[in-house]
Amino acid sequence: EAQVTQNPRYLITVTGKKLTVTCSQNMNHEYMSWYRQDPGLGLRQIYYSMNVEVTDKGDVPEGYKVSRKEKRNFPLILESPSPNQTSLYFCASRSERTQPQHFGDGTRLSIL
Amino acid sequence: AQSVTQLGSHVSVSEGALVLLRCNYSSSVPPYLFWYVQYPNQGLQLLLKYTSAATLVKGINGFEAEFKKSETSFHLTKPSAHMSDAAEYFCAVSEAQGGGAQKLVFGQGTRLTINP
């Protein structure tokens, strides 16, 4: 089954404690991206990757890092999380430019 | 930069009534337009997409949307609402970004409630 898998689904942590949200897709997609969803703001792109070792900033990259060492994986790293990063996060992937993105089920992060 | 406006953060209709969710995008014609649905505790699921082949686009679950260039709109409709349609709906447009990529620019979302 084609899917985008995120882990963990839920996480409550404290300010400053590094965390990583993993994202893996099994569709051999080249393009992957991370979004955060906040009430009243819809989804906003954090980072994206065109292929292995090719990443770039989206609209709200501050406080986040990503890496793309393998085609299937695109982890989101919060080196020093802060409360304003409390949000619902989605990973997405897509094959070609004309195709819609496939989304994971989301990761709800609470930073206390 | 593209922008998307969804009119009404909450829409409530009776079961069996017409569903109309409004979406307007910024003036330059976008390559692609999408509607996604998000059920509670789930990710986004594609309802339909416009890719310039036809202005009236049919999607899953009986939904359809009409692209109107003159009105810069892409409203989502369903003739008869069902209880299972209760969810949050997002309109999105594609926008070119670096390296030949296309990102999605989302509207704020509309939460649809169905009254029995």
Side-chain angles (χ1 to χ4, degrees):
Chain A
E1 179 189 354
Q3 58 185 11
V4 178
T5 303
Q6 296 179 225
N7 281 297
R9 292 291 312 280
Y10 304 91
L11 179 63
I12 301 174
T13 187
V14 296
T15 299
K17 185 177 181 181
K18 180 180 179 180
L19 67 91
T20 299
V21 184
T22 64
C23 173
S24 181
Q25 50 94 3
N26 62 0
M27 296 166 279
N28 201 36
H29 286 170
E30 293 183 344
Y31 181 92
M32 297 186 73
S33 60
W34 276 101
Y35 294 84
R36 60 177 288 173
Q37 181 184 358
D38 301 290
L41 297 177
L43 284 80
R44 294 174 293 167
Q45 190 185 58
I46 304 170
Y47 268 94
Y48 68 97
S49 170
M50 290 286 289
N51 213 324
V52 175
E53 302 293 358
V54 181
T55 63
D56 208 345
K57 297 177 180 178
D59 296 318
V60 288
E62 294 76 22
Y64 304 95
K65 287 175 58 177
V66 293
S67 69
R68 187 91 182 271
K69 293 183 170 59
E70 303 166 289
K71 197 171 187 178
R72 63 182 293 123
N73 296 322
F74 190 46
L76 180 69
I77 303 157
L78 284 71
E79 293 271 4
S80 183
S82 62
N84 64 11
Q85 293 177 298
T86 293
S87 187
L88 179 58
Y89 291 84
F90 288 100
C91 180
S93 74
R94 187 193 67 222
S95 56
E96 298 172 334
R97 187 171 61 88
T98 58
Q99 298 305 311
Q101 296 190 33
H102 296 258
F103 284 82
D105 284 338
T107 295
R108 187 168 293 281
L109 288 184
S110 294
I111 316 296
L112 305 178
Chain B
Q2 291 281 357
S3 65
V4 178
T5 302
Q6 291 182 239
L7 299 177
S9 58
H10 291 88
V11 170
S12 182
V13 302
S14 298
E15 191 174 18
L18 171 72
V19 174
L20 171 60
L21 304 183
R22 300 178 186 274
C23 172
N24 288 88
Y25 57 92
S26 53
S27 58
S28 58
V29 177
Y32 309 114
L33 290 154
F34 305 87
W35 274 100
Y36 282 88
V37 60
Q38 184 181 31
Y39 299 103
N41 298 315
Q42 293 186 26
L44 278 72
Q45 179 182 354
L46 181 69
L47 271 179
L48 50 82
K49 65 176 180 178
Y50 166 76
T51 57
S52 74
T55 56
L56 183 63
V57 183
K58 294 188 184 299
I60 62 171
N61 302 338
F63 284 93
E64 62 182 36
E66 186 173 8
F67 171 68
K68 290 188 176 181
K69 182 179 177 180
S70 61
E71 298 177 6
T72 61
S73 69
F74 190 56
H75 302 331
L76 182 71
T77 60
K78 182 174 181 177
S80 177
H82 192 271
M83 296 299 292
S84 61
D85 295 326
E88 186 150 23
Y89 292 79
F90 291 93
C91 181
V93 303
S94 62
E95 179 178 88
Q97 59 185 163
Q102 295 272 342
K103 74 171 182 181
L104 289 176
V105 177
F106 285 87
Q108 305 92 319
T110 298
R111 184 167 299 279
L112 177 64
T113 302
I114 312 297
N115 301 313

PDB file of all heavy atoms in Angstrom, chain B residues 2-3 6 9 17 20 22 27 31-32 35 38 46 53 59 66 71 73 83 92 96 99-100 105 107 110 114 116:
ATOM      1  N   GLN B   2       1.450  33.329  -4.596  1.00  0.00           N
ATOM      2  CA  GLN B   2       0.042  32.947  -4.603  1.00  0.00           C
ATOM      3  C   GLN B   2      -0.563  33.093  -3.210  1.00  0.00           C
ATOM      4  O   GLN B   2       0.121  32.932  -2.196  1.00  0.00           O
ATOM      5  CB  GLN B   2      -0.094  31.485  -5.037  1.00  0.00           C
ATOM      6  CG  GLN B   2       0.250  31.220  -6.487  1.00  0.00           C
ATOM      7  CD  GLN B   2      -0.872  31.609  -7.426  1.00  0.00           C
ATOM      8  OE1 GLN B   2      -1.936  32.036  -6.995  1.00  0.00           O
ATOM      9  NE2 GLN B   2      -0.631  31.475  -8.716  1.00  0.00           N
ATOM     10  N   SER B   3      -1.851  33.361  -3.179  1.00  0.00           N
ATOM     11  CA  SER B   3      -2.584  33.324  -1.916  1.00  0.00           C
ATOM     12  C   SER B   3      -3.943  32.696  -2.173  1.00  0.00           C
ATOM     13  O   SER B   3      -4.469  32.759  -3.293  1.00  0.00           O
ATOM     14  CB  SER B   3      -2.731  34.714  -1.307  1.00  0.00           C
ATOM     15  OG  SER B   3      -3.533  35.526  -2.137  1.00  0.00           O
ATOM     16  N   GLN B   6     -10.324  31.131   1.710  1.00  0.00           N
ATOM     17  CA  GLN B   6     -11.537  30.332   1.851  1.00  0.00           C
ATOM     18  C   GLN B   6     -12.521  31.152   2.686  1.00  0.00           C
ATOM     19  O   GLN B   6     -12.220  31.518   3.823  1.00  0.00           O
ATOM     20  CB  GLN B   6     -11.236  29.003   2.534  1.00  0.00           C
ATOM     21  CG  GLN B   6     -10.414  28.076   1.661  1.00  0.00           C
ATOM     22  CD  GLN B   6     -10.160  26.734   2.315  1.00  0.00           C
ATOM     23  OE1 GLN B   6      -9.011  26.338   2.515  1.00  0.00           O
ATOM     24  NE2 GLN B   6     -11.230  26.023   2.657  1.00  0.00           N
ATOM     25  N   SER B   9     -14.829  30.152   7.888  1.00  0.00           N
ATOM     26  CA  SER B   9     -14.027  29.133   8.563  1.00  0.00           C
ATOM     27  C   SER B   9     -14.903  27.976   9.030  1.00  0.00           C
ATOM     28  O   SER B   9     -14.395  26.875   9.256  1.00  0.00           O
ATOM     29  CB  SER B   9     -13.291  29.744   9.759  1.00  0.00           C
ATOM     30  OG  SER B   9     -14.207  30.323  10.655  1.00  0.00           O
ATOM     31  N   ALA B  17     -28.830  18.667   2.232  1.00  0.00           N
ATOM     32  CA  ALA B  17     -28.770  19.994   1.631  1.00  0.00           C
ATOM     33  C   ALA B  17     -27.517  20.139   0.776  1.00  0.00           C
ATOM     34  O   ALA B  17     -26.576  19.351   0.862  1.00  0.00           O
ATOM     35  CB  ALA B  17     -28.799  21.066   2.718  1.00  0.00           C
ATOM     36  N   LEU B  20     -21.706  24.046  -0.248  1.00  0.00           N
ATOM     37  CA  LEU B  20     -20.941  24.992  -1.061  1.00  0.00           C
ATOM     38  C   LEU B  20     -19.817  25.546  -0.202  1.00  0.00           C
ATOM     39  O   LEU B  20     -20.073  26.233   0.786  1.00  0.00           O
ATOM     40  CB  LEU B  20     -21.822  26.124  -1.569  1.00  0.00           C
ATOM     41  CG  LEU B  20     -21.090  27.306  -2.254  1.00  0.00           C
ATOM     42  CD1 LEU B  20     -20.314  26.833  -3.468  1.00  0.00           C
ATOM     43  CD2 LEU B  20     -22.072  28.412  -2.617  1.00  0.00           C
ATOM     44  N   ARG B  22     -16.403  27.869  -0.410  1.00  0.00           N
ATOM     45  CA  ARG B  22     -15.860  28.863  -1.335  1.00  0.00           C
ATOM     46  C   ARG B  22     -14.344  28.983  -1.252  1.00  0.00           C
ATOM     47  O   ARG B  22     -13.763  28.936  -0.148  1.00  0.00           O
ATOM     48  CB  ARG B  22     -16.495  30.228  -1.070  1.00  0.00           C
ATOM     49  CG  ARG B  22     -18.002  30.241  -1.235  1.00  0.00           C
ATOM     50  CD  ARG B  22     -18.577  31.611  -0.904  1.00  0.00           C
ATOM     51  NE  ARG B  22     -20.030  31.576  -0.916  1.00  0.00           N
ATOM     52  CZ  ARG B  22     -20.775  31.746  -1.989  1.00  0.00           C
ATOM     53  NH1 ARG B  22     -20.194  31.968  -3.156  1.00  0.00           N
ATOM     54  NH2 ARG B  22     -22.087  31.699  -1.894  1.00  0.00           N
ATOM     55  N   SER B  27      -4.674  36.508  -8.344  1.00  0.00           N
ATOM     56  CA  SER B  27      -5.074  36.784  -9.718  1.00  0.00           C
ATOM     57  C   SER B  27      -4.303  36.042 -10.803  1.00  0.00           C
ATOM     58  O   SER B  27      -4.892  35.678 -11.810  1.00  0.00           O
ATOM     59  CB  SER B  27      -4.977  38.284 -10.002  1.00  0.00           C
ATOM     60  OG  SER B  27      -3.660  38.719  -9.770  1.00  0.00           O
ATOM     61  N   PRO B  31      -1.120  27.024 -12.055  1.00  0.00           N
ATOM     62  CA  PRO B  31      -1.074  25.818 -12.880  1.00  0.00           C
ATOM     63  C   PRO B  31      -2.080  24.772 -12.429  1.00  0.00           C
ATOM     64  O   PRO B  31      -2.753  24.164 -13.228  1.00  0.00           O
ATOM     65  CB  PRO B  31       0.354  25.315 -12.717  1.00  0.00           C
ATOM     66  CG  PRO B  31       1.133  26.497 -12.281  1.00  0.00           C
ATOM     67  CD  PRO B  31       0.183  27.317 -11.468  1.00  0.00           C
ATOM     68  N   TYR B  32      -2.167  24.551 -11.094  1.00  0.00           N
ATOM     69  CA  TYR B  32      -3.028  23.506 -10.576  1.00  0.00           C
ATOM     70  C   TYR B  32      -3.742  23.976  -9.314  1.00  0.00           C
ATOM     71  O   TYR B  32      -3.190  24.708  -8.516  1.00  0.00           O
ATOM     72  CB  TYR B  32      -2.211  22.258 -10.251  1.00  0.00           C
ATOM     73  CG  TYR B  32      -1.324  21.797 -11.381  1.00  0.00           C
ATOM     74  CD1 TYR B  32       0.058  21.846 -11.270  1.00  0.00           C
ATOM     75  CD2 TYR B  32      -1.876  21.329 -12.566  1.00  0.00           C
ATOM     76  CE1 TYR B  32       0.874  21.455 -12.310  1.00  0.00           C
ATOM     77  CE2 TYR B  32      -1.062  20.933 -13.611  1.00  0.00           C
ATOM     78  CZ  TYR B  32       0.306  20.997 -13.485  1.00  0.00           C
ATOM     79  OH  TYR B  32       1.097  20.609 -14.519  1.00  0.00           O
ATOM     80  N   TRP B  35      -8.515  20.517  -3.968  1.00  0.00           N
ATOM     81  CA  TRP B  35      -9.273  20.483  -2.727  1.00  0.00           C
ATOM     82  C   TRP B  35      -8.868  19.208  -1.978  1.00  0.00           C
ATOM     83  O   TRP B  35      -8.853  18.116  -2.552  1.00  0.00           O
ATOM     84  CB  TRP B  35     -10.787  20.453  -2.981  1.00  0.00           C
ATOM     85  CG  TRP B  35     -11.402  21.792  -3.160  1.00  0.00           C
ATOM     86  CD1 TRP B  35     -11.739  22.418  -4.330  1.00  0.00           C
ATOM     87  CD2 TRP B  35     -11.800  22.697  -2.115  1.00  0.00           C
ATOM     88  NE1 TRP B  35     -12.301  23.636  -4.086  1.00  0.00           N
ATOM     89  CE2 TRP B  35     -12.361  23.839  -2.739  1.00  0.00           C
ATOM     90  CE3 TRP B  35     -11.752  22.654  -0.714  1.00  0.00           C
ATOM     91  CZ2 TRP B  35     -12.861  24.925  -2.015  1.00  0.00           C
ATOM     92  CZ3 TRP B  35     -12.251  23.724   0.000  1.00  0.00           C
ATOM     93  CH2 TRP B  35     -12.791  24.839  -0.644  1.00  0.00           C
ATOM     94  N   GLN B  38      -9.785  16.758   5.353  1.00  0.00           N
ATOM     95  CA  GLN B  38      -9.100  16.230   6.532  1.00  0.00           C
ATOM     96  C   GLN B  38     -10.140  15.769   7.546  1.00  0.00           C
ATOM     97  O   GLN B  38     -10.854  16.596   8.119  1.00  0.00           O
ATOM     98  CB  GLN B  38      -8.196  17.292   7.143  1.00  0.00           C
ATOM     99  CG  GLN B  38      -7.379  16.791   8.328  1.00  0.00           C
ATOM    100  CD  GLN B  38      -6.510  17.882   8.928  1.00  0.00           C
ATOM    101  OE1 GLN B  38      -6.845  19.065   8.908  1.00  0.00           O
ATOM    102  NE2 GLN B  38      -5.370  17.496   9.473  1.00  0.00           N
ATOM    103  N   LEU B  46      -6.824  13.798  -0.925  1.00  0.00           N
ATOM    104  CA  LEU B  46      -7.186  14.566  -2.112  1.00  0.00           C
ATOM    105  C   LEU B  46      -8.629  14.294  -2.499  1.00  0.00           C
ATOM    106  O   LEU B  46      -9.029  13.140  -2.673  1.00  0.00           O
ATOM    107  CB  LEU B  46      -6.259  14.192  -3.275  1.00  0.00           C
ATOM    108  CG  LEU B  46      -6.513  14.929  -4.581  1.00  0.00           C
ATOM    109  CD1 LEU B  46      -6.120  16.412  -4.437  1.00  0.00           C
ATOM    110  CD2 LEU B  46      -5.739  14.287  -5.718  1.00  0.00           C
ATOM    111  N   ALA B  53      -7.502  20.798 -17.791  1.00  0.00           N
ATOM    112  CA  ALA B  53      -8.125  19.945 -18.810  1.00  0.00           C
ATOM    113  C   ALA B  53      -9.612  20.277 -18.972  1.00  0.00           C
ATOM    114  O   ALA B  53     -10.135  20.293 -20.078  1.00  0.00           O
ATOM    115  CB  ALA B  53      -7.946  18.480 -18.457  1.00  0.00           C
ATOM    116  N   GLY B  59     -14.765  14.938  -8.308  1.00  0.00           N
ATOM    117  CA  GLY B  59     -13.869  14.276  -7.376  1.00  0.00           C
ATOM    118  C   GLY B  59     -14.524  13.082  -6.718  1.00  0.00           C
ATOM    119  O   GLY B  59     -15.529  12.555  -7.184  1.00  0.00           O
ATOM    120  N   GLU B  66     -15.738  23.893  -9.722  1.00  0.00           N
ATOM    121  CA  GLU B  66     -15.698  24.577 -11.013  1.00  0.00           C
ATOM    122  C   GLU B  66     -14.662  25.683 -10.981  1.00  0.00           C
ATOM    123  O   GLU B  66     -14.694  26.553 -10.110  1.00  0.00           O
ATOM    124  CB  GLU B  66     -17.062  25.155 -11.377  1.00  0.00           C
ATOM    125  CG  GLU B  66     -17.080  25.742 -12.783  1.00  0.00           C
ATOM    126  CD  GLU B  66     -18.476  26.159 -13.213  1.00  0.00           C
ATOM    127  OE1 GLU B  66     -19.387  26.132 -12.366  1.00  0.00           O
ATOM    128  OE2 GLU B  66     -18.627  26.513 -14.391  1.00  0.00           O
ATOM    129  N   GLU B  71     -13.601  34.919 -12.154  1.00  0.00           N
ATOM    130  CA  GLU B  71     -13.877  35.200 -10.751  1.00  0.00           C
ATOM    131  C   GLU B  71     -12.725  34.753  -9.855  1.00  0.00           C
ATOM    132  O   GLU B  71     -12.834  34.889  -8.634  1.00  0.00           O
ATOM    133  CB  GLU B  71     -15.161  34.479 -10.320  1.00  0.00           C
ATOM    134  CG  GLU B  71     -16.388  34.938 -11.090  1.00  0.00           C
ATOM    135  CD  GLU B  71     -17.639  34.157 -10.698  1.00  0.00           C
ATOM    136  OE1 GLU B  71     -17.575  33.347  -9.748  1.00  0.00           O
ATOM    137  OE2 GLU B  71     -18.670  34.363 -11.350  1.00  0.00           O
ATOM    138  N   SER B  73     -12.016  31.881  -8.914  1.00  0.00           N
ATOM    139  CA  SER B  73     -12.633  31.029  -7.889  1.00  0.00           C
ATOM    140  C   SER B  73     -12.523  29.558  -8.255  1.00  0.00           C
ATOM    141  O   SER B  73     -12.369  29.192  -9.426  1.00  0.00           O
ATOM    142  CB  SER B  73     -14.100  31.409  -7.693  1.00  0.00           C
ATOM    143  OG  SER B  73     -14.863  31.063  -8.836  1.00  0.00           O
ATOM    144  N   MET B  83     -23.839  12.821   6.462  1.00  0.00           N
ATOM    145  CA  MET B  83     -23.201  12.991   7.769  1.00  0.00           C
ATOM    146  C   MET B  83     -21.700  12.724   7.701  1.00  0.00           C
ATOM    147  O   MET B  83     -20.910  13.376   8.387  1.00  0.00           O
ATOM    148  CB  MET B  83     -23.836  12.069   8.812  1.00  0.00           C
ATOM    149  CG  MET B  83     -25.293  12.364   9.112  1.00  0.00           C
ATOM    150  SD  MET B  83     -25.560  14.027   9.778  1.00  0.00           S
ATOM    151  CE  MET B  83     -24.766  13.879  11.374  1.00  0.00           C
ATOM    152  N   ALA B  92      -6.191  24.501  -2.162  1.00  0.00           N
ATOM    153  CA  ALA B  92      -4.763  24.764  -2.328  1.00  0.00           C
ATOM    154  C   ALA B  92      -4.449  25.025  -3.789  1.00  0.00           C
ATOM    155  O   ALA B  92      -5.106  24.491  -4.691  1.00  0.00           O
ATOM    156  CB  ALA B  92      -3.938  23.580  -1.817  1.00  0.00           C
ATOM    157  N   ALA B  96       5.253  27.765  -8.119  1.00  0.00           N
ATOM    158  CA  ALA B  96       6.623  27.377  -8.447  1.00  0.00           C
ATOM    159  C   ALA B  96       7.570  27.828  -7.340  1.00  0.00           C
ATOM    160  O   ALA B  96       7.422  28.907  -6.760  1.00  0.00           O
ATOM    161  CB  ALA B  96       7.032  27.995  -9.770  1.00  0.00           C
ATOM    162  N   GLY B  99      14.382  25.273  -8.003  1.00  0.00           N
ATOM    163  CA  GLY B  99      14.747  23.969  -8.535  1.00  0.00           C
ATOM    164  C   GLY B  99      13.685  23.323  -9.382  1.00  0.00           C
ATOM    165  O   GLY B  99      13.735  22.115  -9.646  1.00  0.00           O
ATOM    166  N   GLY B 100      12.714  24.079  -9.823  1.00  0.00           N
ATOM    167  CA  GLY B 100      11.658  23.512 -10.647  1.00  0.00           C
ATOM    168  C   GLY B 100      10.555  22.841  -9.843  1.00  0.00           C
ATOM    169  O   GLY B 100       9.669  22.200 -10.407  1.00  0.00           O
ATOM    170  N   VAL B 105       0.152  26.042  -1.771  1.00  0.00           N
ATOM    171  CA  VAL B 105      -0.234  27.163  -0.918  1.00  0.00           C
ATOM    172  C   VAL B 105      -1.675  26.914  -0.510  1.00  0.00           C
ATOM    173  O   VAL B 105      -2.558  26.786  -1.370  1.00  0.00           O
ATOM    174  CB  VAL B 105      -0.104  28.505  -1.661  1.00  0.00           C
ATOM    175  CG1 VAL B 105      -0.593  29.645  -0.775  1.00  0.00           C
ATOM    176  CG2 VAL B 105       1.338  28.733  -2.101  1.00  0.00           C
ATOM    177  N   GLY B 107      -5.349  27.467   1.660  1.00  0.00           N
ATOM    178  CA  GLY B 107      -6.249  28.367   2.338  1.00  0.00           C
ATOM    179  C   GLY B 107      -6.319  28.022   3.814  1.00  0.00           C
ATOM    180  O   GLY B 107      -5.690  27.073   4.281  1.00  0.00           O
ATOM    181  N   THR B 110     -11.900  25.259   5.935  1.00  0.00           N
ATOM    182  CA  THR B 110     -13.308  25.427   6.286  1.00  0.00           C
ATOM    183  C   THR B 110     -13.788  24.160   6.961  1.00  0.00           C
ATOM    184  O   THR B 110     -13.689  23.073   6.395  1.00  0.00           O
ATOM    185  CB  THR B 110     -14.185  25.697   5.050  1.00  0.00           C
ATOM    186  OG1 THR B 110     -13.776  26.909   4.430  1.00  0.00           O
ATOM    187  CG2 THR B 110     -15.662  25.794   5.444  1.00  0.00           C
ATOM    188  N   ILE B 114     -22.396  18.888   9.573  1.00  0.00           N
ATOM    189  CA  ILE B 114     -23.645  18.408   8.987  1.00  0.00           C
ATOM    190  C   ILE B 114     -24.662  18.189  10.107  1.00  0.00           C
ATOM    191  O   ILE B 114     -24.414  17.416  11.040  1.00  0.00           O
ATOM    192  CB  ILE B 114     -23.447  17.093   8.212  1.00  0.00           C
ATOM    193  CG1 ILE B 114     -22.242  17.198   7.265  1.00  0.00           C
ATOM    194  CG2 ILE B 114     -24.729  16.734   7.447  1.00  0.00           C
ATOM    195  CD1 ILE B 114     -22.377  18.236   6.183  1.00  0.00           C
ATOM    196  N   PRO B 116     -28.220  16.778  11.518  1.00  0.00           N
ATOM    197  CA  PRO B 116     -29.166  15.722  11.149  1.00  0.00           C
ATOM    198  C   PRO B 116     -30.567  16.271  10.882  1.00  0.00           C
ATOM    199  O   PRO B 116     -30.914  17.357  11.315  1.00  0.00           O
ATOM    200  CB  PRO B 116     -29.168  14.804  12.379  1.00  0.00           C
ATOM    201  CG  PRO B 116     -28.560  15.590  13.477  1.00  0.00           C
ATOM    202  CD  PRO B 116     -27.723  16.670  12.891  1.00  0.00           C
TER     203      PRO B 116
END
